[in-house]
Coordinates of all heavy atoms in Angstrom, one line a residue:
M1 N 37.3 -22.4 -9.8 CA 36.2 -22.5 -9.0 C 36.4 -21.6 -7.8 O 37.4 -21.7 -7.1 CB 36.0 -24.0 -8.6 CG 34.9 -24.2 -7.6 SD 33.7 -25.3 -8.3 CE 32.6 -25.4 -7.0
I2 N 35.4 -20.8 -7.5 CA 35.5 -19.9 -6.4 C 34.9 -20.6 -5.2 O 33.9 -21.2 -5.2 CB 34.7 -18.6 -6.7 CG1 35.2 -17.9 -8.0 CG2 34.7 -17.6 -5.5 CD1 34.3 -16.8 -8.4
P3 N 35.7 -20.6 -4.0 CA 35.3 -21.2 -2.8 C 34.1 -20.5 -2.2 O 34.0 -19.3 -2.4 CB 36.5 -21.3 -1.9 CG 37.3 -20.1 -2.4 CD 37.1 -20.0 -3.9
E4 N 33.3 -21.2 -1.5 CA 32.0 -20.6 -0.9 C 32.5 -19.6 0.2 O 31.6 -18.7 0.5 CB 31.1 -21.6 -0.3 CG 31.6 -22.5 0.7 CD 32.2 -23.8 0.1 OE1 32.1 -24.0 -1.1 OE2 32.7 -24.6 0.9
S5 N 33.7 -19.7 0.8 CA 34.1 -18.7 1.8 C 34.2 -17.3 1.2 O 33.9 -16.3 1.8 CB 35.4 -19.1 2.4 OG 36.4 -19.2 1.4
A6 N 34.6 -17.2 -0.1 CA 34.6 -15.9 -0.8 C 33.2 -15.3 -0.9 O 33.1 -14.1 -0.7 CB 35.3 -16.1 -2.2
F7 N 32.3 -16.2 -1.3 CA 30.8 -15.6 -1.3 C 30.4 -15.2 0.1 O 29.7 -14.2 0.1 CB 30.0 -16.7 -1.8 CG 30.2 -17.0 -3.3 CD1 30.7 -18.3 -3.7 CD2 29.9 -16.1 -4.3 CE1 30.9 -18.6 -5.0 CE2 30.1 -16.4 -5.6 CZ 30.6 -17.6 -6.0
V8 N 30.7 -16.0 1.1 CA 30.3 -15.6 2.4 C 30.9 -14.3 2.8 O 30.3 -13.4 3.5 CB 30.6 -16.7 3.4 CG1 30.3 -16.2 4.9 CG2 29.8 -18.0 3.1
I9 N 32.2 -14.1 2.5 CA 32.9 -12.8 2.9 C 32.2 -11.6 2.2 O 32.0 -10.6 2.8 CB 34.4 -12.9 2.6 CG1 35.0 -13.9 3.5 CG2 35.0 -11.6 2.6 CD1 36.5 -14.3 3.2
V10 N 31.9 -11.8 0.9 CA 31.3 -10.7 0.1 C 29.9 -10.4 0.7 O 29.5 -9.3 0.9 CB 31.2 -11.1 -1.4 CG1 30.4 -10.1 -2.1 CG2 32.6 -11.1 -2.0
A11 N 29.2 -11.5 1.1 CA 27.9 -11.3 1.7 C 28.0 -10.6 3.0 O 27.1 -9.8 3.3 CB 27.2 -12.6 1.8
M12 N 29.0 -11.0 3.8 CA 29.2 -10.3 5.1 C 29.5 -8.8 4.9 O 28.9 -7.9 5.6 CB 30.3 -10.9 5.9 CG 29.9 -12.3 6.5 SD 31.3 -13.2 7.2 CE 32.1 -12.0 8.2
V13 N 30.2 -8.5 3.9 CA 30.6 -7.1 3.6 C 29.4 -6.3 3.2 O 29.1 -5.2 3.7 CB 31.7 -7.0 2.6 CG1 31.9 -5.5 2.1 CG2 33.0 -7.5 3.2
L14 N 28.5 -7.0 2.3 CA 27.3 -6.3 1.8 C 26.3 -6.1 2.9 O 25.7 -5.1 3.1 CB 26.7 -7.1 0.7 CG 27.4 -7.2 -0.7 CD1 26.7 -8.1 -1.6 CD2 27.4 -5.8 -1.2
F15 N 26.2 -7.1 3.8 CA 25.3 -7.0 4.9 C 25.8 -6.0 5.9 O 24.9 -5.2 6.4 CB 25.1 -8.4 5.6 CG 23.9 -8.5 6.5 CD1 22.7 -8.8 6.0 CD2 24.0 -8.2 7.9 CE1 21.6 -8.9 6.8 CE2 22.9 -8.3 8.7 CZ 21.7 -8.6 8.2
G16 N 27.1 -5.9 6.1 CA 27.6 -4.9 7.0 C 27.3 -3.5 6.4 O 27.0 -2.5 7.2
I17 N 27.6 -3.3 5.1 CA 27.3 -2.0 4.5 C 25.9 -1.6 4.7 O 25.5 -0.5 5.0 CB 27.7 -2.0 3.1 CG1 29.3 -2.0 3.0 CG2 27.2 -0.7 2.3 CD1 29.8 -2.3 1.6
G18 N 25.0 -2.6 4.5 CA 23.5 -2.3 4.6 C 23.2 -2.0 6.0 O 22.3 -1.1 6.3
T19 N 23.7 -2.7 7.0 CA 23.5 -2.4 8.4 C 23.9 -1.0 8.9 O 23.2 -0.3 9.5 CB 24.1 -3.5 9.3 OG1 23.7 -4.8 8.9 CG2 23.8 -3.2 10.8
V20 N 25.1 -0.7 8.4 CA 25.6 0.7 8.8 C 24.8 1.8 8.1 O 24.5 2.8 8.7 CB 27.2 0.8 8.3 CG1 27.6 2.2 8.4 CG2 28.0 -0.1 9.1
G21 N 24.4 1.5 6.9 CA 23.5 2.4 6.2 C 22.2 2.6 6.9 O 21.7 3.8 7.0
V22 N 21.6 1.6 7.4 CA 20.3 1.7 8.1 C 20.6 2.4 9.4 O 19.7 3.2 9.8 CB 19.7 0.3 8.3 CG1 18.6 0.3 9.4 CG2 19.2 -0.3 7.1
L23 N 21.7 2.2 10.1 CA 21.8 2.8 11.4 C 22.2 4.2 11.4 O 21.9 5.0 12.2 CB 22.9 2.0 12.2 CG 22.5 0.5 12.5 CD1 23.7 -0.1 13.2 CD2 21.4 0.6 13.5
I24 N 23.0 4.7 10.3 CA 23.4 6.1 10.3 C 22.7 7.0 9.4 O 22.9 8.2 9.5 CB 25.0 6.1 10.1 CG1 25.3 5.7 8.6 CG2 25.8 5.3 11.0 CD1 26.7 5.9 8.2
S25 N 21.9 6.5 8.5 CA 21.3 7.3 7.5 C 20.0 7.9 8.1 O 19.3 7.3 8.9 CB 20.9 6.5 6.2 OG 20.3 7.4 5.3
R26 N 19.6 9.1 7.6 CA 18.4 9.8 8.1 C 17.4 9.8 6.9 O 16.3 10.3 7.1 CB 18.7 11.2 8.5 CG 19.6 11.2 9.7 CD 18.9 10.8 11.0 NE 19.2 9.3 11.2 CZ 18.6 8.6 12.0 NH1 17.6 9.0 12.8 NH2 18.9 7.3 12.1
N27 N 17.8 9.4 5.7 CA 17.0 9.5 4.5 C 16.2 8.2 4.4 O 16.9 7.1 4.4 CB 17.8 9.8 3.3 CG 17.0 10.1 2.0 OD1 15.9 9.6 2.0 ND2 17.7 10.8 1.1
M28 N 14.9 8.2 4.2 CA 14.1 7.0 4.2 C 14.5 6.2 2.9 O 14.4 4.9 2.9 CB 12.6 7.3 4.2 CG 12.1 7.6 5.6 SD 10.4 7.6 5.7 CE 10.0 9.1 4.8
I29 N 14.8 6.8 1.8 CA 15.1 6.1 0.6 C 16.4 5.3 0.7 O 16.5 4.2 0.3 CB 15.1 7.0 -0.6 CG1 13.7 7.5 -0.8 CG2 15.6 6.4 -1.9 CD1 13.5 8.6 -1.9
I30 N 17.4 6.0 1.4 CA 18.7 5.3 1.6 C 18.5 4.1 2.6 O 19.1 3.0 2.3 CB 19.7 6.3 2.1 CG1 20.0 7.3 1.0 CG2 21.0 5.6 2.6 CD1 21.0 8.4 1.4
I31 N 17.7 4.3 3.6 CA 17.4 3.2 4.5 C 16.8 2.1 3.8 O 17.1 0.9 3.9 CB 16.5 3.7 5.7 CG1 17.4 4.6 6.6 CG2 16.0 2.5 6.5 CD1 16.5 5.4 7.6
F32 N 15.8 2.4 2.9 CA 15.2 1.4 2.1 C 16.1 0.6 1.2 O 16.1 -0.6 1.1 CB 14.1 2.1 1.3 CG 13.1 1.2 0.6 CD1 12.2 0.5 1.4 CD2 13.1 1.1 -0.7 CE1 11.3 -0.4 0.7 CE2 12.2 0.2 -1.3 CZ 11.3 -0.5 -0.6
M33 N 17.0 1.3 0.6 CA 18.0 0.7 -0.3 C 19.0 -0.2 0.5 O 19.4 -1.3 0.1 CB 18.8 1.7 -1.1 CG 17.9 2.6 -2.0 SD 17.5 1.8 -3.5 CE 19.0 1.9 -4.3
C34 N 19.3 0.2 1.7 CA 20.2 -0.6 2.6 C 19.5 -1.9 3.0 O 20.2 -2.9 3.1 CB 20.7 0.3 3.7 SG 21.8 1.6 3.3
V35 N 18.2 -1.8 3.3 CA 17.5 -3.0 3.6 C 17.5 -4.0 2.4 O 17.7 -5.2 2.6 CB 16.1 -2.7 4.0 CG1 15.2 -3.9 4.2 CG2 16.1 -2.0 5.4
E36 N 17.3 -3.5 1.2 CA 17.4 -4.3 0.0 C 18.8 -4.9 -0.1 O 18.9 -6.1 -0.6 CB 17.0 -3.5 -1.2 CG 15.6 -3.0 -1.3 CD 14.6 -4.1 -1.4 OE1 14.9 -5.2 -2.0 OE2 13.5 -4.0 -0.8
L37 N 19.9 -4.2 0.2 CA 21.2 -4.6 0.1 C 21.4 -5.8 1.1 O 22.0 -6.8 0.7 CB 22.2 -3.5 0.4 CG 23.7 -3.8 0.2 CD1 23.9 -4.1 -1.3 CD2 24.5 -2.7 0.6
M38 N 20.8 -5.7 2.3 CA 20.9 -6.8 3.2 C 20.2 -8.0 2.8 O 20.6 -9.2 2.9 CB 20.4 -6.4 4.6 CG 21.3 -5.4 5.3 SD 20.9 -5.0 7.0 CE 19.4 -4.2 6.9
L39 N 19.0 -7.9 2.1 CA 18.3 -9.0 1.5 C 19.1 -9.7 0.5 O 19.2 -10.9 0.4 CB 16.9 -8.5 1.0 CG 15.8 -8.3 2.0 CD1 14.6 -7.7 1.3 CD2 15.4 -9.6 2.6
N40 N 19.8 -8.9 -0.4 CA 20.6 -9.5 -1.4 C 21.8 -10.2 -0.9 O 22.3 -11.2 -1.4 CB 21.0 -8.4 -2.5 CG 19.9 -8.1 -3.3 OD1 19.0 -8.9 -3.7 ND2 19.8 -6.8 -3.7
A41 N 22.4 -9.7 0.2 CA 23.5 -10.4 0.9 C 23.0 -11.8 1.4 O 23.7 -12.8 1.2 CB 24.0 -9.6 2.0
A42 N 21.8 -11.9 2.0 CA 21.3 -13.2 2.4 C 21.0 -14.1 1.2 O 21.3 -15.3 1.3 CB 20.0 -12.9 3.2
N43 N 20.6 -13.5 0.1 CA 20.4 -14.3 -1.1 C 21.7 -14.9 -1.6 O 21.8 -16.0 -2.0 CB 19.8 -13.5 -2.2 CG 18.3 -13.2 -2.0 OD1 17.6 -14.0 -1.2 ND2 17.8 -12.2 -2.6
L44 N 22.8 -14.1 -1.5 CA 24.1 -14.6 -2.0 C 24.6 -15.7 -1.1 O 25.1 -16.7 -1.7 CB 25.1 -13.4 -1.9 CG 26.5 -13.7 -2.4 CD1 26.4 -14.1 -3.9 CD2 27.4 -12.5 -2.2
V45 N 24.3 -15.7 0.1 CA 24.7 -16.8 1.0 C 23.9 -18.0 0.7 O 24.4 -19.2 0.7 CB 24.6 -16.4 2.5 CG1 24.8 -17.6 3.4 CG2 25.7 -15.4 2.8
L46 N 22.6 -17.8 0.5 CA 21.7 -19.0 0.1 C 22.2 -19.7 -1.1 O 22.3 -20.9 -1.2 CB 20.3 -18.5 0.0 CG 19.5 -18.3 1.3 CD1 18.2 -17.6 1.0 CD2 19.3 -19.6 2.0
I47 N 22.5 -18.9 -2.1 CA 22.9 -19.4 -3.4 C 24.3 -20.1 -3.2 O 24.5 -21.2 -3.8 CB 23.1 -18.3 -4.5 CG1 21.7 -17.9 -4.9 CG2 23.8 -18.8 -5.7 CD1 20.8 -19.0 -5.6
A48 N 25.2 -19.5 -2.5 CA 26.6 -20.1 -2.3 C 26.5 -21.5 -1.6 O 27.1 -22.4 -2.1 CB 27.5 -19.2 -1.5
F49 N 25.7 -21.6 -0.5 CA 25.6 -22.8 0.2 C 24.8 -23.8 -0.6 O 25.1 -25.0 -0.5 CB 25.0 -22.7 1.6 CG 26.0 -22.1 2.5 CD1 25.9 -20.9 3.1 CD2 27.2 -22.8 2.8 CE1 26.8 -20.3 4.0 CE2 28.2 -22.3 3.7 CZ 28.0 -21.1 4.3
S50 N 23.8 -23.3 -1.4 CA 23.1 -24.3 -2.2 C 24.0 -24.9 -3.2 O 23.9 -26.1 -3.5 CB 21.9 -23.5 -2.8 OG 21.2 -24.4 -3.7
R51 N 24.8 -24.1 -3.8 CA 25.7 -24.6 -4.8 C 26.8 -25.5 -4.3 O 27.1 -26.6 -4.9 CB 26.4 -23.4 -5.5 CG 27.1 -23.8 -6.8 CD 27.8 -22.7 -7.5 NE 29.2 -23.0 -7.4 CZ 30.2 -22.1 -7.3 NH1 29.9 -20.9 -7.3 NH2 31.4 -22.5 -7.3
S52 N 27.3 -25.2 -3.1 CA 28.3 -26.0 -2.5 C 27.8 -27.4 -2.0 O 28.5 -28.4 -2.1 CB 29.0 -25.3 -1.4 OG 28.1 -25.2 -0.3
L53 N 26.5 -27.4 -1.6 CA 25.9 -28.6 -1.1 C 25.3 -29.4 -2.3 O 24.9 -30.6 -2.1 CB 24.9 -28.3 -0.1 CG 25.4 -27.7 1.2 CD1 24.3 -27.3 2.2 CD2 26.3 -28.7 1.9
G54 N 25.1 -28.8 -3.4 CA 24.5 -29.5 -4.5 C 23.1 -29.7 -4.5 O 22.5 -30.7 -5.2
I55 N 22.4 -28.9 -3.7 CA 20.9 -29.0 -3.7 C 20.2 -27.7 -4.2 O 20.9 -26.7 -4.2 CB 20.4 -29.2 -2.2 CG1 20.9 -28.2 -1.3 CG2 20.8 -30.7 -1.8 CD1 20.4 -28.3 0.1
M56 N 19.0 -27.9 -4.7 CA 18.4 -26.7 -5.3 C 17.4 -26.0 -4.4 O 16.8 -25.0 -4.9 CB 17.6 -27.2 -6.6 CG 18.5 -27.9 -7.6 SD 19.7 -26.7 -8.3 CE 18.6 -25.7 -9.2
D57 N 17.4 -26.3 -3.1 CA 16.4 -25.7 -2.3 C 16.8 -24.2 -2.0 O 15.9 -23.3 -1.9 CB 16.4 -26.3 -0.9 CG 15.8 -27.8 -0.9 OD1 15.1 -28.0 -2.0 OD2 16.0 -28.6 0.0
G58 N 18.1 -23.9 -2.0 CA 18.5 -22.5 -1.9 C 18.1 -21.6 -3.0 O 17.7 -20.5 -2.8
H59 N 18.0 -22.2 -4.2 CA 17.5 -21.4 -5.4 C 16.1 -21.1 -5.2 O 15.6 -20.0 -5.6 CB 17.8 -22.2 -6.6 CG 19.3 -22.3 -7.0 ND1 20.0 -23.3 -6.4 CD2 20.1 -21.7 -7.8 CE1 21.3 -23.2 -6.8 NE2 21.3 -22.3 -7.7
A60 N 15.3 -22.0 -4.7 CA 13.9 -21.8 -4.5 C 13.6 -20.7 -3.5 O 12.8 -19.9 -3.6 CB 13.2 -23.1 -4.1
F61 N 14.4 -20.8 -2.4 CA 14.3 -19.8 -1.4 C 14.7 -18.4 -1.9 O 14.1 -17.4 -1.5 CB 15.2 -20.1 -0.2 CG 14.5 -21.1 0.8 CD1 15.2 -22.3 1.1 CD2 13.3 -20.9 1.3 CE1 14.7 -23.3 1.9 CE2 12.8 -21.9 2.2 CZ 13.4 -23.0 2.5
V62 N 15.7 -18.4 -2.7 CA 16.1 -17.1 -3.3 C 14.9 -16.5 -4.2 O 14.6 -15.3 -4.1 CB 17.3 -17.2 -4.1 CG1 17.6 -16.0 -4.9 CG2 18.5 -17.4 -3.2
F63 N 14.3 -17.3 -5.0 CA 13.2 -16.8 -5.7 C 12.1 -16.4 -4.8 O 11.4 -15.3 -5.1 CB 12.6 -17.9 -6.7 CG 13.4 -18.0 -7.9 CD1 14.0 -19.3 -8.2 CD2 13.8 -17.0 -8.7 CE1 14.8 -19.5 -9.3 CE2 14.6 -17.1 -9.8 CZ 15.1 -18.4 -10.1
L64 N 11.8 -17.0 -3.7 CA 10.8 -16.6 -2.7 C 11.2 -15.2 -2.1 O 10.4 -14.3 -2.0 CB 10.6 -17.6 -1.6 CG 9.6 -17.2 -0.5 CD1 8.2 -17.2 -1.1 CD2 9.7 -18.2 0.6
V65 N 12.5 -15.1 -1.8 CA 12.9 -13.8 -1.2 C 12.8 -12.7 -2.2 O 12.5 -11.6 -1.8 CB 14.4 -14.0 -0.6 CG1 15.0 -12.7 -0.2 CG2 14.4 -15.0 0.6
L66 N 13.2 -13.0 -3.4 CA 13.1 -11.9 -4.4 C 11.7 -11.5 -4.7 O 11.4 -10.3 -4.9 CB 13.7 -12.5 -5.7 CG 15.3 -12.5 -5.8 CD1 15.7 -13.2 -7.1 CD2 15.9 -11.2 -5.6
T67 N 10.8 -12.4 -4.6 CA 9.4 -12.1 -4.8 C 8.9 -11.2 -3.6 O 8.2 -10.2 -3.9 CB 8.5 -13.4 -4.8 OG1 9.0 -14.2 -5.9 CG2 7.1 -13.0 -5.1
V68 N 9.2 -11.6 -2.4 CA 8.8 -10.8 -1.2 C 9.5 -9.4 -1.3 O 8.9 -8.4 -0.9 CB 9.2 -11.6 0.1 CG1 9.0 -10.7 1.3 CG2 8.3 -12.8 0.2
A69 N 10.8 -9.4 -1.7 CA 11.5 -8.1 -1.8 C 10.9 -7.2 -2.8 O 10.8 -6.0 -2.6 CB 13.0 -8.4 -2.1
A70 N 10.4 -7.8 -3.9 CA 9.7 -6.9 -5.0 C 8.4 -6.4 -4.4 O 8.1 -5.2 -4.6 CB 9.5 -7.8 -6.2
A71 N 7.7 -7.2 -3.7 CA 6.4 -6.7 -3.1 C 6.7 -5.6 -2.0 O 6.0 -4.6 -1.9 CB 5.6 -7.8 -2.5
E72 N 7.7 -5.9 -1.3 CA 8.1 -4.9 -0.2 C 8.6 -3.6 -0.8 O 8.3 -2.6 -0.3 CB 9.2 -5.6 0.7 CG 9.8 -4.7 1.7 CD 11.2 -4.3 1.5 OE1 11.9 -5.0 0.6 OE2 11.7 -3.3 2.0
A73 N 9.3 -3.7 -1.9 CA 9.8 -2.5 -2.6 C 8.6 -1.7 -3.1 O 8.6 -0.4 -3.0 CB 10.7 -2.9 -3.7
A74 N 7.6 -2.3 -3.7 CA 6.5 -1.6 -4.2 C 5.7 -0.9 -3.1 O 5.4 0.3 -3.2 CB 5.6 -2.5 -5.0
V75 N 5.5 -1.7 -2.0 CA 4.7 -1.0 -0.9 C 5.5 0.0 -0.2 O 5.0 1.1 0.1 CB 4.3 -2.2 0.1 CG1 3.6 -1.6 1.3 CG2 3.3 -3.1 -0.6
G76 N 6.8 -0.2 0.0 CA 7.7 0.7 0.7 C 7.8 2.0 -0.1 O 7.8 3.1 0.5
L77 N 8.0 1.9 -1.4 CA 8.1 3.1 -2.2 C 6.8 3.9 -2.2 O 6.9 5.1 -2.2 CB 8.6 2.8 -3.6 CG 10.1 2.4 -3.7 CD1 10.5 2.0 -5.1 CD2 11.0 3.5 -3.2
A78 N 5.7 3.2 -2.2 CA 4.5 3.9 -2.2 C 4.3 4.6 -0.9 O 3.7 5.7 -0.9 CB 3.3 2.9 -2.4
I79 N 4.7 4.0 0.2 CA 4.5 4.7 1.5 C 5.5 5.9 1.6 O 5.1 7.0 2.0 CB 4.9 3.7 2.7 CG1 3.8 2.7 2.8 CG2 5.1 4.4 4.0 CD1 4.1 1.5 3.7
I80 N 6.7 5.7 1.1 CA 7.7 6.9 1.1 C 7.1 8.0 0.2 O 7.2 9.2 0.6 CB 9.0 6.4 0.6 CG1 9.7 5.5 1.7 CG2 10.0 7.6 0.3 CD1 10.9 4.8 1.3
L81 N 6.5 7.6 -0.9 CA 6.0 8.7 -1.8 C 4.8 9.4 -1.2 O 4.7 10.6 -1.3 CB 5.6 8.0 -3.2 CG 5.1 9.0 -4.2 CD1 6.2 9.9 -4.6 CD2 4.6 8.2 -5.4
A82 N 3.9 8.7 -0.5 CA 2.8 9.2 0.2 C 3.3 10.2 1.3 O 2.8 11.3 1.5 CB 1.9 8.2 0.8
I83 N 4.3 9.8 2.1 CA 4.9 10.6 3.1 C 5.5 11.9 2.5 O 5.3 13.0 3.0 CB 5.9 9.8 3.9 CG1 5.2 8.8 4.8 CG2 6.8 10.8 4.8 CD1 6.1 7.8 5.5
Y84 N 6.2 11.7 1.4 CA 6.8 12.9 0.7 C 5.8 13.8 0.2 O 5.9 15.1 0.4 CB 7.7 12.4 -0.4 CG 8.4 13.6 -1.1 CD1 9.4 14.3 -0.5 CD2 7.9 14.0 -2.3 CE1 10.0 15.3 -1.1 CE2 8.5 15.1 -3.0 CZ 9.6 15.7 -2.4 OH 10.1 16.8 -2.9
R85 N 4.7 13.3 -0.3 CA 3.6 14.2 -0.8 C 3.0 15.0 0.4 O 2.6 16.2 0.2 CB 2.5 13.4 -1.5 CG 3.0 13.0 -2.9 CD 1.9 12.3 -3.6 NE 2.3 12.0 -4.9 CZ 1.6 11.1 -5.7 NH1 0.6 10.5 -5.2 NH2 2.1 10.8 -6.9
N86 N 2.9 14.4 1.6 CA 2.2 15.1 2.7 C 3.2 16.0 3.5 O 2.8 17.1 3.9 CB 1.6 14.1 3.6 CG 0.3 13.5 3.1 OD1 -0.4 14.1 2.4 ND2 0.1 12.2 3.3
R87 N 4.4 15.5 3.6 CA 5.3 16.3 4.4 C 6.5 17.0 3.7 O 7.2 17.8 4.2 CB 6.1 15.3 5.4 CG 5.2 14.6 6.4 CD 4.7 15.6 7.5 NE 3.8 14.9 8.4 CZ 4.1 14.6 9.7 NH1 5.2 15.0 10.1 NH2 3.2 14.0 10.4
E88 N 6.6 16.7 2.4 CA 7.6 17.2 1.5 C 9.0 17.1 2.0 O 9.9 17.9 1.9 CB 7.3 18.7 1.2 CG 6.0 18.9 0.5 CD 5.8 20.4 0.2 OE1 6.6 21.2 0.6 OE2 4.8 20.6 -0.5
T89 N 9.3 16.0 2.7 CA 10.6 15.6 3.1 C 10.6 14.1 3.4 O 9.6 13.5 3.6 CB 11.1 16.3 4.4 OG1 12.4 15.9 4.7 CG2 10.2 16.0 5.6
V90 N 11.8 13.5 3.2 CA 12.0 12.0 3.5 C 13.0 11.9 4.7 O 13.5 10.8 4.8 CB 12.5 11.2 2.3 CG1 11.3 11.2 1.3 CG2 13.7 11.9 1.7
N91 N 13.2 12.9 5.4 CA 14.1 12.9 6.6 C 13.4 12.2 7.7 O 12.4 12.5 8.1 CB 14.5 14.2 7.0 CG 15.6 14.2 8.0 OD1 15.9 13.2 8.6 ND2 16.2 15.4 8.3
I92 N 14.0 11.1 8.2 CA 13.4 10.2 9.2 C 13.3 10.9 10.6 O 12.4 10.6 11.4 CB 14.1 8.9 9.4 CG1 13.3 7.8 10.0 CG2 15.4 9.0 10.1 CD1 12.3 7.2 9.1
D93 N 14.1 11.9 10.8 CA 14.0 12.7 12.1 C 12.7 13.5 12.2 O 12.3 13.8 13.3 CB 15.2 13.6 12.2 CG 16.5 12.9 12.5 OD1 16.4 11.7 13.0 OD2 17.6 13.4 12.1
R94 N 12.1 13.8 11.1 CA 10.8 14.6 11.1 C 9.6 13.8 11.5 O 8.6 14.2 11.6 CB 10.6 15.2 9.7 CG 11.8 16.0 9.2 CD 11.9 17.4 9.8 NE 10.6 18.2 9.7 CZ 10.4 19.1 8.8 NH1 11.3 19.4 7.9 NH2 9.3 19.7 8.7
F95 N 9.8 12.4 11.6 CA 8.7 11.5 11.9 C 8.9 10.8 13.2 O 8.6 9.6 13.3 CB 8.6 10.4 10.7 CG 8.4 11.1 9.4 CD1 9.5 11.1 8.5 CD2 7.3 11.7 9.0 CE1 9.4 11.7 7.3 CE2 7.2 12.4 7.8 CZ 8.3 12.3 6.9
S96 N 9.3 11.5 14.2 CA 9.5 10.9 15.5 C 8.3 10.7 16.3 O 8.2 9.9 17.2 CB 10.5 11.7 16.3 OG 10.0 13.0 16.5
I97 N 7.2 11.4 15.8 CA 5.9 11.2 16.6 C 5.1 10.3 15.7 O 5.2 10.1 14.6 CB 5.2 12.5 16.8 CG1 5.0 13.2 15.6 CG2 6.0 13.3 17.8 CD1 4.2 14.5 15.7
L98 N 4.1 9.5 16.3 CA 3.2 8.6 15.7 C 1.9 9.3 15.4 O 0.9 8.7 15.3 CB 3.0 7.4 16.6 CG 4.2 6.5 16.8 CD1 3.8 5.4 17.8 CD2 4.7 5.9 15.5
K99 N 2.0 10.5 15.0 CA 0.8 11.3 14.6 C 0.9 11.7 13.2 O 2.0 12.2 12.8 CB 0.6 12.4 15.6 CG -0.7 13.1 15.5 CD -1.0 14.1 16.7 CE 0.1 15.2 16.7 NZ -0.2 16.2 17.7
W100 N 0.0 11.6 12.4 CA 0.1 12.0 11.0 C 0.0 13.5 10.9 O -0.1 14.4 10.7 CB -1.0 11.3 10.2 CG -0.8 11.6 8.7 CD1 -1.6 12.4 7.9 CD2 0.1 10.9 7.9 NE1 -1.1 12.3 6.7 CE2 -0.1 11.4 6.6 CE3 1.1 10.0 8.1 CZ2 0.6 11.0 5.5 CZ3 1.9 9.7 7.0 CH2 1.6 10.2 5.7

């Protein structure tokens, strides 16, 4: 049996990698993937504590988060694709102004 502290440590590492990726990356797709990594780290902690406490609420929250993440992925990728079609780049430094 794996202790829940191991799951929390793995989730912390995943969340840290995602945070670093968001902070240092200039590519919108990489930033998007790092946000998804942070969401999955939160899901891992929810499942670990749900399992250790013996309640099923964490599993329900994970399904909710996965549903929201899927919708966010669809909308986010559509926005990135529209930006790429108009600007022909996904470098975030090129979008410092709020003018299309």
Side-chain angles (χ1 to χ4, degrees):
M1 175 121 181
I2 301 173
E4 59 267 0
S5 62
F7 291 111
V8 173
I9 290 170
V10 171
M12 286 173 45
V13 169
L14 289 176
F15 197 86
I17 291 171
T19 303
V20 169
V22 167
L23 292 177
I24 66 171
S25 179
R26 300 288 92 196
N27 189 333
M28 283 193 287
I29 294 176
I30 292 175
I31 292 171
F32 190 70
M33 299 283 285
C34 289
V35 169
E36 294 294 327
L37 188 63
M38 290 191 293
L39 281 173
N40 285 327
N43 285 338
L44 182 62
V45 170
L46 281 172
I47 289 292
F49 283 118
S50 174
R51 193 181 117 210
S52 69
L53 296 175
I55 55 176
M56 298 299 288
D57 293 343
H59 294 81
F61 281 123
V62 167
F63 283 123
L64 177 69
V65 169
L66 286 175
T67 305
V68 171
E72 178 248 340
V75 172
L77 287 176
I79 290 171
I80 291 172
L81 187 62
I83 289 172
Y84 180 74
R85 284 184 179 165
N86 286 328
R87 301 283 179 115
E88 295 183 357
T89 184
V90 289
N91 189 349
I92 201 77
D93 289 334
R94 306 283 303 264
F95 306 105
S96 61
I97 57 175
L98 294 176
K99 191 167 64 173
W100 189 254

